[in-house]
Amino acid sequence: MCSIAVEDLSLRGCLIARYGHGIVFLEGQDPVDEQRFSLAHELAHFLRHYWLPRQHLVMQLGPAVLDVLDGDRLPTHEERVHALLARVRVGYFIHLMNRSRDSWPDRATTTAAELEADLLAFELLAPSREVIRAISDVSDGDRRSVATHHLRTKYGLPDKAAERYACILCPGPSGGHSLLHRLGLAHVELSASGAEEKMQATGGGE
């Protein structure tokens, strides 16, 4: 049993994970397309911020550390030292619920995690390679609007999510970075200001 000391918030979705499994709660009053995106967003959190770090720690410290990650015991002194040397965090509880009243994450790690979850959710629902192939013959001036329509009709993304993803896939004339850069996956660590600028540039913040 655990508690989270945060104020009551309106959420589209929430993930609880333990023992290598996760449970997702969704806002039942949301439209189906919003629920689909929320589910992909929470799945992205599970993969990127729970399952992958968990697998990394097992590789670094051995399977016995699972008892620590699941909250069944405290880490030993040896495990703490190995974790420090490996530059990994060993412990049980982490949450990303610290937010301000307007729902914008108020910690750098939370901001970066929410951005990463949105970007991975986009890729899970509408693989960028397929979308780019579908609009490859469209003129530059029409490509973003066509991509937005394609993301809505073929892949079922909500309006705002489709517009944000289309902006990433079809940047303006100044966007000369690779797709990985445009998806924000070139750097694992993002500063609060850098992540916030990326989200604002694409109209994010859900």
Side-chain angles (χ1 to χ4, degrees), residues 3-205:
S3 61
I4 302 176
V6 296
E7 61 182 293
D8 191 21
L9 297 170
S10 176
L11 299 173
R12 292 190 181 279
C14 180
L15 167 71
I16 296 176
R18 194 179 184 190
Y19 294 119
H21 303 281
I23 298 175
V24 173
F25 297 89
L26 300 175
E27 172 52 73
Q29 299 301 312
D30 278 348
V32 174
D33 58 352
E34 291 286 0
Q35 291 190 47
R36 185 187 302 113
F37 184 75
S38 295
L39 179 59
H41 177 95
E42 299 305 329
L43 174 59
H45 273 308
F46 178 84
L47 294 172
R48 176 67 182 86
H49 305 121
Y50 176 76
W51 189 81
L52 284 177
R54 183 181 175 92
Q55 298 305 307
H56 179 63
L57 276 168
V58 170
M59 291 178 61
Q60 293 289 329
L61 305 179
V65 77
L66 289 174
D67 291 339
V68 179
L69 303 181
D70 293 327
D72 292 331
R73 65 175 177 83
L74 294 174
T76 64
H77 176 72
E78 183 180 20
E79 287 170 332
R80 291 181 186 274
V81 171
H82 282 305
L84 182 63
L85 294 175
R87 297 184 179 181
V88 294
R89 178 186 178 275
V90 58
Y92 164 56
F93 183 65
I94 182 172
H95 74 81
L96 301 171
M97 300 293 290
N98 284 350
R99 299 168 182 264
S100 58
R101 290 185 179 275
D102 62 0
S103 291
W104 182 257
D106 60 13
R107 293 195 309 172
T109 53
T110 306
T111 301
E114 291 302 317
L115 173 62
E116 290 174 347
D118 272 354
L119 295 172
L120 182 52
F122 289 149
E123 188 67 32
L124 290 171
L125 292 174
S128 57
R129 180 178 299 180
E130 299 300 321
V131 179
I132 291 173
R133 181 183 296 128
I135 62 173
S136 60
D137 295 332
V138 179
S139 63
D140 290 344
D142 297 329
R143 188 167 295 170
R144 185 177 294 179
S145 61
V146 171
T148 302
H149 178 75
H150 191 63
L151 291 166
R152 288 170 176 161
T153 56
K154 179 175 177 61
Y155 294 101
L157 265 65
D159 289 348
K160 288 184 179 180
E163 291 170 3
R164 289 164 53 202
Y165 194 20
C167 286
I168 295 171
L169 295 175
C170 307
S174 62
H177 293 302
S178 67
L179 178 60
L180 284 177
H181 280 81
R182 297 203 301 271
L183 289 177
L185 301 179
H187 304 287
V188 174
E189 295 184 4
L190 296 174
S191 67
S193 59
E196 186 170 344
E197 287 172 4
K198 264 186 176 291
M199 290 292 283
Q200 289 175 345
T202 56

